[in-house]
Structures are given as C-alpha cells and as structure tokens.
Amino acid sequence: MKAAVEEKWTGTQEDKHDMEKLQLAQVVRRNFGRIAMFGFASTLICTWEIVLGALSLSLSNGGTAGLFWNYIIVVVGFGLVYSSIAELGSVIPTSGGQYYWVSVLAPRKYHKYLSYVTGWLCATAWQTGISSSAFLAGTIIQGLFVLNLPDYQFKAYHGTLLVIGLAFFAIVFNTILAKKLPLIEGLLVFLHILGVVIVIPLWVLAPRRDAHSVFLDFTNNGGWSTNGLSMMVGMLPVALSLLGLDCSVHMAEETKDSSRTLPVSLMLGFVVNALLGFFVLITVVFTLGDIETILATPTGYPFIQIFYNTTKSLTGTNIMSAVMIINLTASSIAVLATASRQLWAFARNKGVPFSSVLAPAILPHQLPLNALFVSLVITILLSLINIGSSAALNAIFSLNTGSLLTSYMITIGCTLFRRLQGHELPQARWSLGRWGLPINIGAMCYLVPVYIFSFFPGVVNPTPVTMNWGIVMYGGVIIFSTSYYIFIGRFHYQPPKEQVRGEFLKEAGL
C-alpha cells in the first residue's frame, strides 16, 4: 500500500515488503534503530529498579531465599516466553502485536473473537501500565519526603499529583520531543545500565548475611500453609521486573529493518536486564540487614531504608534513590509510547469505540496524537483512584499483570496449536527452528502458574484493604469486551484481512 510518509522514513526494502504483505500503509516514521530500540525496551522494563521497588512484597512472601529462587525461575521462564514472542515479531512485524498474531494463528472458527479479546486485554494492560510505572516513581519521591522531613504527612493525593505530573512529563517527550525520542532512549539506556553502581556502597559498607540464611531461609508472613505456596505468591513482584518486553513489538512500524531489529533488541534487552537485575538482587539479599526492620520502614520502600541504614547519610540516600526515580520516569515515557501505539493499532482495526478518532496518525510528525492524549487522560483518571482507595489502585496493578500475561498465553497457545498439528511458522530472519515446539511448551508451563498466582492476595485471610481485587476487574474486562463484541464489536471489528491470513497460512503450509 502507498506510504503516507517521506521515502526516507519508510525503512528498508524488507520493511516495505512486510508492510505490503500485511496490506498496511506506512503512516508513521521509522526512526528507531537497533540501539534506540534496545534502549527503549531496556528502560521500559527497568528490571533492577523494579527488583528494588518491589522488595516489600517479595520479602513478605518468600524472604531472601524465595526472592533469589523466584528470580532464577522468572528469568528462565521469561526467556522462553520472549523467545516465542521475538520469533512472531520477526514473522509478522506489526504494531498490533498479540491480537494481530492471534487472528492469523487461531482456528478459523474462533480467530476473530480471540483476536478481539486479546486486543482488549493488551490495551488494558498497557493503559494501566502507565499509571503503575508513574505511581512507583511518585511514591518513591514521597518516601524520600518521609525520610528527609520528619513532619511530613504521607497523603494519598500527594502521590496522585506526582503521578499526574510525571504523566504530563512523559507526554512532552512523546509529542514535542518525539523526533528526539530514539536519541533520548539511546542515551537513557546508559543511565539505566550504569545506574547499578548505586548498590556498590552496600558491598563496601553494609554487614553481610551468611549464604545459608540468604539461600535457604524462607519467610512466610502471609500465613500460607507451606513455604512453597508463600514463595509462589511472592513470585508476582519478581515477575513484574521482567514483564513488558513486548513493548518492542508495538513500536514495530517505527523501527528500521523491523523483522530483524525487533527480535534482536527484544532478546538483548532481556539478557542485559536479567543480568543487571541479578547483580542488584544478589547485592541486596546479602546486605539488607534485618528483614522485619526494613519491612517496617515508614518510607514505604525497604530499599530506601537499606540505603540509609548503610550510608548513614540523607544526601547519599537521596542521590542513590534519585537514580531510581529518573530511570522509572524514563520507563513511564516508554510505557506511554507503547500504550498509545497498541491502542492506535487496535483502533486501526476498529477494535475500540471511537476508532475513527484514535486511528489516524496526525501531521506534521506522523504520530498517533489522539491515542497519546487518550492514554494521558486514562492515566490521570486511574491515578485519582488512589485518593479514594489504595486497595483499588493495587487491583489495577494486578489487572495490568494478569491482562498482559493472558495476551502472552493466548498468543503462544495459538502458536503451539499450529505446531502440535505438525506445522511450522514461515521462515523468518529470527527463527526458533526445531526448538520452537519445546520452547513454546516451556513458555506455557511457566505462564499458567504465574497467571494464576498474579491474582492471589498477600495473606491467607485478607481484609477488604489487603484483598487483591484485580480478579474482579480482570473479569469485568473479559465480560465487557465479550459483551461489546457480541452486540457491537463483531459488526465493526476488522481483523487482518482474510487474504493476509490466507497467504500467511499458505506460506506456513497450514
């Protein structure tokens, strides 16, 4: 199809061939190269920063032993998941990602509905993801206020205002500075990588715990029947540290040489973040001190208390924490970009209400501006929930995780369905080859239990405040999207054209 951007922004011949095969017009600029896309993916998931930020949840269920072994499981599991996604991104490099792939791979009888629900779940995950990353950065700032200002009172609306401020900051980088975003992401990744040096003072100054207690002493503050069950509940915050690398996929139509760059940057981002996260995790589990003491910190974040206990310096703690805040703000910028592109692509296929408003790429920069500003509004509205109920906001975070994991399961499940029938995916520039089937099976074996435990509360007998209401919201999304599909969506939703699906399946020998 005819491109709507200048020739220099249309990418390589491979990009043009892919867009022609998918019968899509090139309406956004391809200005992300390999380094920029690697930076984009790495800064978005912020693995080592999330490891520190989610310490409270991990240590309450599992302790240092659970945290360590959960991390090993999560790295292996997500390695299989992202290998599967990287292959699909090379075969079908489109910003639609999961819902597009499902439409092509699912059985003909169910492909339209499964694609539609996957699109809604993916959109839900990324829209709530903006609030999650901004909220983490905002409440860390509040934690520093508590540490530095003895008279400061921790107010929910302060966190909401900080989230809104960070959201507006992110929208500036995605609109006014959009042309510079690839360069900015390429630079921010160096701060993300070099930022791990903030834990070096812990090695130098903090007392060390012995290896036996670090690797074999489990904590079960949730009252679960076994340490194993407690450890599984504590796996969710660890999984969050590596969740979301499908962000690369949703930027596919803005990436040069996408069918090659996308899988390479995704897997490189995974490996680098996994290694950085491991370095920080090992440092923390050996130097954190007394677990009960740091969990009781008034700052709300054990890592802030660990920094202060080690350095005995407010200035040192502030500087170390500031690196975290900067990197999490960078993550918010990337999450907003991803969420808007996924929403824009889904609207292009008329998957959401007001699709005609959300689908255009607005001149002069060929950006999905309407989708960007809708994402901003959704973030602001979600942040307001924190004023009324922190439990409701925590449920939204759980909804983010469960929805994204479901999109992975449906996508990889459809791929596995085809492979179990004896068919392989079409030859791609990044292919799993004969390892595709066992890797897909391994990915599903990892995703299913993590998905189930993502909706568990942190304690056995939760109160209305400590209950994980994410399952209620998740069920609501499923019911709403299904109802909307039955009464409205199925008449308007336009999944990938039957010709595209047919050619793909023919090429795959299906």
Side-chain angles (χ1 to χ4, degrees):
M1 298 180 70
K2 185 179 179 181
V5 296
E6 298 176 49
E7 181 66 22
K8 65 178 180 179
W9 299 113
T10 58
T12 65
Q13 286 301 124
E14 285 286 347
D15 292 326
K16 295 174 185 176
H17 172 71
D18 288 332
M19 294 298 281
E20 183 177 346
K21 183 172 65 175
L22 298 173
Q23 297 188 19
L24 295 173
Q26 184 68 51
V27 296
V28 289
R29 294 177 174 181
R30 291 186 182 270
N31 53 0
F32 278 85
R34 289 190 182 181
I35 294 178
M37 186 47 60
F38 161 67
F40 184 90
S42 297
T43 56
L44 185 145
I45 64 168
C46 272
T47 297
W48 69 263
E49 295 89 342
I50 300 296
V51 166
L52 289 177
L55 271 180
S56 179
L57 298 172
S58 303
L59 293 175
S60 294
N61 282 295
T64 55
L67 178 59
F68 175 80
W69 295 112
N70 271 336
Y71 190 79
I72 300 301
I73 294 170
V74 165
V75 168
V76 173
F78 269 130
L80 301 173
V81 171
Y82 291 135
S83 295
S84 303
I85 289 177
E87 180 182 42
L88 288 169
S90 185
V91 174
I92 310 176
T94 169
S95 296
Q98 291 95 307
Y99 81 83
Y100 199 104
W101 301 334
V102 168
S103 180
V104 171
L105 291 168
R108 180 182 296 273
K109 185 177 179 180
Y110 307 108
H111 82 97
K112 188 174 182 179
Y113 168 70
L114 286 176
S115 170
Y116 190 78
V117 171
T118 302
W120 267 91
L121 287 169
C122 208
T124 299
W126 282 109
Q127 293 299 322
T128 54
I130 308 170
S131 301
S132 301
S133 57
F135 185 79
L136 185 57
T139 50
I140 289 174
I141 294 174
Q142 280 189 282
L144 292 178
F145 286 166
V146 171
L147 183 68
N148 287 269
L149 306 171
D151 296 330
Y152 174 73
Q153 296 293 317
F154 204 106
K155 300 291 185 182
Y157 77 89
H158 294 173
T160 294
L161 291 174
L162 287 167
V163 169
I164 293 173
L166 290 169
F168 274 104
F169 187 75
I171 202 74
V172 169
F173 278 86
N174 277 279
T175 52
I176 298 173
L177 300 177
K179 281 187 176 181
K180 302 295 183 182
L181 188 58
L183 174 62
I184 292 168
E185 293 292 346
L187 295 174
L188 286 173
V189 70
F190 290 103
L191 178 61
H192 168 62
I193 294 173
L194 297 176
V196 296
V197 300
I198 67 172
V199 301
I200 290 179
L202 303 185
W203 282 114
V204 177
L205 301 173
R208 308 285 176 82
R209 304 176 77 227
D210 64 275
H212 183 277
S213 62
V214 166
F215 297 126
L216 296 176
D217 284 355
F218 293 86
T219 301
N220 184 358
N221 289 339
W224 301 100
S225 57
T226 66
N227 285 337
L229 185 57
S230 176
M231 178 177 161
M232 289 301 296
V233 173
M235 182 182 287
L236 175 60
V238 182
L240 281 172
S241 69
L242 282 166
L243 185 68
L245 271 173
D246 60 300
C247 62
S248 302
V249 171
H250 304 300
M251 303 297 290
E253 292 170 38
E254 295 171 63
T255 303
K256 300 173 186 175
D257 199 22
S258 184
S259 60
R260 181 66 180 172
T261 300
L262 190 156
V264 170
S265 61
L266 190 158
M267 294 308 298
L268 182 60
F270 169 75
V271 171
V272 170
N273 274 272
L275 292 174
L276 293 174
F278 185 78
F279 173 72
V280 171
L281 182 143
I282 281 292
T283 301
V284 169
V285 295
F286 271 100
T287 62
L288 53 75
D290 181 66
I291 293 179
E292 298 302 324
T293 300
I294 63 169
L295 286 177
T297 176
T299 66
Y301 285 99
F303 80 86
I304 296 179
Q305 196 65 49
I306 294 170
F307 289 169
Y308 182 68
N309 291 347
T310 300
T311 63
K312 311 296 184 184
S313 166
L314 289 175
T315 302
T317 302
N318 292 338
I319 293 173
M320 294 163 76
S321 300
V323 175
M324 289 266 297
I325 294 167
I326 293 170
N327 287 345
L328 288 167
T329 302
S331 174
S332 299
I333 295 170
V335 174
L336 177 60
T338 302
S340 62
R341 269 52 168 198
Q342 196 282 333
L343 181 61
W344 163 71
F346 198 36
R348 185 171 57 186
N349 291 105
K350 302 186 185 304
V352 291
F354 308 107
S355 291
S356 60
V357 176
L358 295 170
I362 308 298
L363 296 173
H365 301 307
Q366 281 81 35
L367 288 170
L369 287 180
N370 292 340
L372 275 165
F373 284 115
V374 166
S375 299
L376 172 65
V377 171
I378 292 173
T379 301
I380 293 172
L381 293 176
L382 290 176
S383 70
L384 296 175
I385 295 174
N386 183 52
I387 298 175
S389 171
S390 60
L393 189 68
N394 290 333
I396 289 173
F397 298 159
S398 178
L399 172 64
N400 162 251
T401 306
S403 298
L404 202 54
L405 290 174
T406 306
S407 76
Y408 294 168
M409 287 193 295
I410 296 174
T411 301
I412 297 173
C414 289
T415 309
L416 184 58
F417 166 75
R418 293 297 181 185
R419 282 191 156 126
L420 288 173
Q421 289 184 319
H423 303 292
E424 277 299 324
L425 297 179
Q427 188 61 38
R429 300 169 73 192
W430 202 95
S431 174
L432 297 179
R434 61 193 178 93
W435 295 102
L437 180 61
I439 287 175
N440 291 161
I441 293 174
M444 290 297 289
C445 290
Y446 165 73
L447 286 171
V448 171
V450 176
Y451 161 76
I452 293 171
F453 281 98
S454 70
F455 296 113
F456 270 53
V459 295
V460 172
N461 297 307
T463 65
V465 174
T466 59
M467 176 62 185
N468 185 347
W469 296 102
I471 186 64
V472 178
M473 293 187 175
Y474 175 84
V477 171
I478 297 292
I479 293 170
F480 175 81
S481 59
T482 300
S483 301
Y484 192 84
Y485 175 80
I486 292 172
F487 295 107
I488 300 175
R490 64 193 177 103
F491 301 111
H492 299 282
Y493 179 50
Q494 298 175 355
K497 295 179 181 178
E498 193 61 33
Q499 181 183 350
V500 174
R501 174 179 159 87
E503 288 182 2
F504 175 87
L505 296 178
K506 181 179 179 182
E507 187 178 351
L510 304 178

